[in-house]
Amino acid sequence: MTKSFFATLAVITLLSGCAATQENSKPDAAAGEPAALVNDYPTRDRVEYVLECVAKHGGLTYISQYACGCKIDKIAEKLSFEEYESAKTFTQMQKTPGEAGAAFRDPKQSKDLRTKLKDADAEAEKACFVK
C-alpha cells in the first residue's frame, strides 16, 4: 500500500473521532433548552472539506491536515450545517448559466449565505494557517 493511502486513512480516522465528540453544546439560557451543537457537521462532510482543503494547500502534510481540520471547526462555529450546506450549494450552482442559474445567484438568501460562508472561510484561513 502507498503512503498516501495510509495518510488519508489516518486523516479520516482522526476526523471521525473528533467529530464524534459532542462537548461543545451550550445551553440556551433564554429558552432553557440546549442550543444547536457547534460541531454538528457530519463526519463525511468534514472529511470531504479537509481533503479538498489539503489539496488546495499543496497536498497532505501534518500542517495542512491540522490547519484544514481547524478551518472546518472554525466555520462550524459560525454557520450551522444547514447554512453551510445551502451556502456551498448556492456557491457551486451560481455558475449555472442563464435563467437556470438565476435561482441560485439572485435571491437575497443566496447572496447572504454565500457572503457568510466566504467571511467565515476567510476568518478561519487567518486563524488556522500560520504565515
Side-chain angles (χ1 to χ4, degrees), residues 64-122:
S64 65
Q65 171 188 325
Y66 179 81
C68 290
C70 171
K71 266 187 83 174
I72 192 63
D73 289 343
K74 295 290 184 190
I75 291 170
E77 290 174 5
K78 302 285 184 189
L79 283 86
S80 69
F81 180 69
E82 183 179 316
E83 290 173 320
Y84 169 77
E85 191 173 44
S86 295
K88 188 174 159 186
T89 301
F90 284 136
T91 300
Q92 291 170 342
M93 298 302 290
Q94 75 176 347
K95 297 171 188 149
T96 305
E99 289 182 30
F104 299 101
R105 280 189 307 272
D106 300 339
K108 182 174 177 5
Q109 177 192 16
S110 170
K111 292 174 184 176
D112 292 347
L113 285 173
R114 285 185 284 133
T115 299
K116 192 172 181 180
L117 177 59
K118 184 178 177 183
D119 292 346
D121 188 75

Side-chain angles (χ1 to χ4, degrees), residues 23-45:
E23 299 172 4
N24 294 329
S25 62
K26 297 177 187 172
D28 183 359
E33 297 178 15
L37 297 174
V38 172
N39 290 320
D40 64 347
Y41 288 41
T43 302
R44 175 188 51 97
D45 292 280

